[in-house]
Amino acid sequence: MHKSLSIEDLEGAKNKTLHCKVEEDIDGINAVTPISADLTFSSLGDFIEVKGNVKGIVKLECDLCLKEFEYNLDFDIDELYAKHALLEASDESGQEIEIKDGQFVTDLNGEDEIDIYDLLYQSVILNLPNKKVCGINCNGEDKFLKEEQMSDPRMDVFKNIKIEEI
């Protein structure tokens, strides 16, 4: 089920801030437990700031040995949403907002809600390790690699080739 946050509800909330706890099974992410997030949405004029923490356990495949292993997710979210087109918002209001390192700005293009499910999916994908390794001592040796190293009888023909220099 896709959860979303209404911008109208956010604007009407006390201090223009809403707190949200979410537990989701996300399609495309092999999670052992539902992904849980503790998020705070704050309206800042033409922008909406989302801060919070995401936790969960996902199953990944080791890039070296191809074994499946569990990976603990625990990271912070710090994102901005522009309520209107970014150039339009900065030209009209003259409002300046500092973009911090690692912070993303997503243009809502006039949408009246934020898709929390999509926010979680993108955040989890971006916070998975580039190199997925099951452990510090993984040397990549497994039955998959050993099978590849075995001699292929069709290649025996090439063992006796001699190359002469001209």
Side-chain angles (χ1 to χ4, degrees):
M1 180 173 126
H2 287 255
K3 294 186 179 179
S4 57
L5 176 89
S6 164
I7 294 172
E8 187 177 322
D9 290 348
L10 178 61
E11 293 296 331
K14 184 179 179 184
N15 297 328
K16 294 187 177 189
T17 301
L18 287 175
H19 187 75
C20 168
K21 287 189 179 196
V22 181
E23 279 200 13
E24 283 284 333
D25 286 318
I26 301 173
D27 291 339
I29 295 175
N30 189 4
V32 176
T33 61
I35 304 299
S36 64
D38 194 0
L39 305 171
T40 301
F41 295 82
S42 303
S43 178
L44 308 171
D46 287 329
F47 296 92
I48 295 171
E49 182 180 55
V50 182
K51 286 189 172 199
N53 182 264
V54 177
K55 292 182 181 179
I57 300 171
V58 295
K59 284 188 180 180
L60 300 176
E61 185 178 274
C62 180
D63 290 339
L64 298 176
C65 70
L66 305 178
K67 287 182 183 175
E68 201 172 71
F69 68 99
E70 291 184 358
Y71 180 77
N72 289 320
L73 289 171
D74 187 355
F75 61 90
D76 292 329
I77 289 180
D78 187 0
E79 292 198 33
L80 285 176
Y81 284 86
K83 294 178 189 172
H84 311 286
L86 288 172
L87 291 174
E88 204 176 283
S90 62
D91 289 346
E92 287 178 12
S93 69
Q95 177 185 15
E96 289 185 20
I97 190 143
E98 180 182 350
I99 307 293
K100 299 174 203 146
D101 188 28
Q103 195 174 43
F104 296 99
V105 178
T106 304
D107 200 338
L108 289 175
N109 290 321
E111 291 287 322
D112 58 353
E113 59 186 26
I114 295 174
D115 187 342
I116 298 173
Y117 183 91
D118 187 53
L119 168 67
L120 286 178
Y121 175 80
Q122 290 184 35
S123 297
V124 168
I125 293 297
L126 290 172
N127 280 281
L128 291 177
N130 291 330
K131 182 125 176 133
K132 300 166 189 76
V133 180
C134 62
I136 195 165
N137 295 323
C138 181
N139 59 9
E141 289 184 22
D142 194 19
K143 65 178 183 174
F144 300 109
L145 296 177
K146 288 177 184 170
E147 286 173 10
E148 286 179 359
Q149 292 170 354
M150 291 173 50
S151 171
D152 184 341
R154 296 171 294 176
M155 298 298 184
D156 287 345
V157 164
F158 297 111
K159 286 182 180 176
N160 297 323
I161 290 181
K162 292 181 181 172
I163 299 174
E164 294 179 16
E165 289 188 37
I166 301 176

